């Protein structure tokens, strides 16, 4: 059909194959009763806000599938909750990926099934635990299988759980119970952090009843941790942890206490089950404002906010951390 201006259709209109070389303008409402398949889509422009802007007021994305990676080169602004595999992020704005990044996380809309391992290391079937709440913060890493792992707290179970993604986009997930309070204990699973150990399985650091705990994953999927996990009393309540691998192949664990003391420990073996060979304490640190990584020289470097609100940097001058770090304001 070739039309110079306008085509008006008062009744039903069926098109088996519609190809548009030019523009398509829809002034009213378009209702799709069947599937819409777009084999190639490039250069979408959403117009000028408030003038000819495209708005999606109600989009059901429960069955959107992508064969390849979904790549956002600019910023992603989410004004409302965004759910990925049952995990709901709130107002994630322009974050360039979440590998080893802390994000706010809120309750799942539906109960999350928690899987457990029996004494022989086999998953119990069916699972007996569920939770409808996820912790106030979590820590995500990419495991050696290329899929994300998220250790987090379940308040209703008073436990550390872990969400394992079965694909890179976390559209399919499974949650595992790692460590649950019992026998009068409480406050398990706060202040989580995670890294990949030298055996390619994960190491999870967290607050376990206020103590520093380090759990070693049984496999690369972290379907459970060695029980009991190593845990250490540091003389105060742990409110923040970070764990990373040193250049010597041994883990380095940092714990920030509620009192404002930052404790950095160099493990003497790969699973951190024994007392560390070197421990350093830095006082007057603002709770929760701390970061640590391995520098290009192989030395551990860290940054924190002091109680005077100033930014401080610290650097160790040896890989084995045998001497105290130098700090500067």
């Amino acid at each position: 059909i070739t039309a110079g201006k306008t085509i008006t259709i008062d009744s039903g209109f069926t098109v088996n194959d519609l190809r548009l070389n030019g523009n398509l303008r829809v002034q009213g409402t378009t209702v799709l009763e069947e599937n819409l398949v777009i084999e190639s889509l490039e250069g979408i422009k959403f117009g000028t806000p408030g003038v000819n802007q495209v708005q999606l007021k109600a989009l059901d994305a429960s069955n959107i599938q992508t064969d390849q990676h979904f790549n956002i080169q600019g910023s992603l602004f989410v004004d409302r909750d965004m759910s990925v595999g049952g995990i709901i992020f709130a107002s994630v704005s322009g974050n360039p990926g979440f590998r080893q990044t802390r994000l706010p996380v809120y309750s799942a809309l539906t109960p999350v099934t928690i899987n457990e391992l029996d004494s022989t290391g086999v998953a119990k079937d069916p699972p007996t635990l569920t939770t409808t709440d996820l912790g106030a913060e979590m820590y995500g890493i990419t495991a050696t299988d290329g899929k994300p792992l998220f250790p987090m707290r379940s308040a209703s179970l008073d436990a550390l759980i872990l969400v394992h993604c079965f694909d890179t986009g976390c559209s399919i997930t499974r949650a595992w119970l790692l460590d649950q309070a019992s026998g009068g204990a409480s406050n398990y699973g706060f202040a989580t952090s995670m890294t990949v150990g030298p055996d390619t399985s994960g190491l999870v650091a967290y607050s376990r009843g206020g103590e520093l705990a380090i759990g070693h994953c049984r496999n690369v999927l972290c379907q459970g941790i060695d029980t009991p996990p190593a845990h250490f009393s540091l003389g105060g309540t742990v409110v923040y942890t970070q764990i990373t691998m040193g250049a010597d192949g041994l883990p380095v664990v940092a714990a920030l206490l509620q009192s404002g003391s930052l404790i950095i420990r160099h493990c003497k073996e790969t699973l951190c089950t024994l007392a560390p060979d070197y421990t350093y304490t830095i006082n007057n640190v603002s709770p929760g404002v701390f970061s640590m990584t391995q520098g290009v020289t192989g030395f551990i470097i860290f940054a924190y906010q002091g109680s005077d609100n100033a930014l401080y940097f610290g650097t160790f001058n040896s890989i084995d951390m045998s001497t105290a770090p130098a700090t500067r304001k």
Side-chain angles (χ1 to χ4, degrees):
I1 300 175
T2 301
K5 294 184 179 180
T6 303
I7 298 175
T8 301
I9 301 170
D10 295 328
S11 59
F13 180 42
T14 301
V15 178
N16 293 323
D17 189 1
L18 175 62
R19 299 176 185 270
L20 298 173
N21 294 324
N23 295 327
L24 173 63
R25 298 178 181 232
V26 180
Q27 296 180 352
T29 301
T30 300
V31 179
L32 298 176
E33 296 181 354
E34 302 294 337
N35 293 330
L36 172 63
V37 179
I38 301 174
E39 295 181 354
S40 178
L41 184 61
E42 296 180 358
I44 297 179
K45 295 183 179 180
F46 289 96
T48 304
V51 180
N52 58 341
Q53 187 178 23
V54 175
Q55 294 182 352
L56 300 175
K57 294 184 178 180
L59 175 62
D60 182 2
S62 59
N63 195 30
I64 291 180
Q65 297 182 1
T66 57
D67 294 332
Q68 302 297 326
H69 295 296
F70 183 56
N71 184 21
I72 298 175
Q73 296 181 356
S75 296
L76 171 63
F77 294 93
V78 180
D79 293 330
R80 296 292 185 266
D81 290 344
M82 177 178 69
S83 176
V84 179
I87 303 172
I88 299 176
F89 302 96
S91 299
V92 182
S93 175
N95 197 312
F98 52 79
R99 177 177 298 186
Q100 296 192 16
T101 302
R102 292 179 183 269
L103 296 177
V105 61
Y106 294 82
S107 298
L109 294 177
T110 56
V112 176
T113 300
I114 307 297
N115 297 273
E116 300 174 82
L117 296 179
D118 62 21
S119 58
T120 64
V122 177
K124 295 180 179 179
D125 190 22
T128 57
L129 298 175
T130 59
T131 181
T132 55
D133 62 303
L134 301 177
E137 75 171 19
M138 65 177 184
Y139 193 88
I141 70 165
T142 299
T144 51
D145 66 346
K147 308 300 190 303
L149 297 175
F150 295 98
M152 63 188 73
R153 169 175 162 79
S154 166
S156 63
L157 298 178
D158 199 350
L160 172 69
I161 66 173
L162 181 133
V163 174
H164 168 246
C165 299
F166 284 83
D167 59 1
T168 54
C170 283
S171 62
I172 304 174
T173 62
R174 195 172 187 184
W176 295 91
L177 179 70
L178 299 188
D179 190 18
Q180 186 176 23
S182 63
S186 61
N187 296 322
Y188 278 34
F190 284 104
T192 61
S193 61
M194 191 174 187
T195 191
V196 177
D199 62 350
T200 72
S201 294
L203 287 171
V204 186
Y206 59 101
S207 179
R208 187 180 196 258
E211 294 184 338
L212 171 65
I214 304 170
H216 172 249
C217 296
R218 296 185 179 182
N219 50 40
V220 297
L221 305 182
C222 205
Q223 295 170 317
I225 59 176
D226 297 337
T227 54
H231 54 97
F232 308 91
S233 175
L234 301 182
T237 300
V238 174
V239 295
Y240 187 96
T241 69
Q242 189 159 5
I243 183 169
T244 190
M245 294 302 300
D248 57 359
L250 296 174
V252 178
V253 187
L256 186 57
L257 304 184
Q258 195 171 37
S259 62
S261 295
L262 174 63
I263 300 175
I264 303 177
R265 301 157 57 99
H266 180 268
C267 299
K268 65 173 60 175
E269 34 78 44
T270 56
L271 301 186
C272 288
T273 56
L274 304 176
D277 48 8
Y278 299 109
T279 299
Y280 302 98
T281 301
I282 300 171
N283 296 314
N284 301 317
V285 179
S286 294
V289 188
F290 169 76
S291 183
M292 178 178 68
T293 190
Q294 181 189 137
V296 293
T297 60
F299 300 163
I300 295 297
I301 58 177
F302 56 94
Y304 63 93
Q305 179 181 338
S307 58
D308 58 355
N309 293 324
L311 177 63
Y312 290 81
F313 292 94
T315 306
F316 287 90
N317 60 9
S318 63
I319 291 177
D320 64 1
M321 297 172 53
S322 56
T323 56
T327 60
R328 63 187 184 278
K329 187 173 180 179

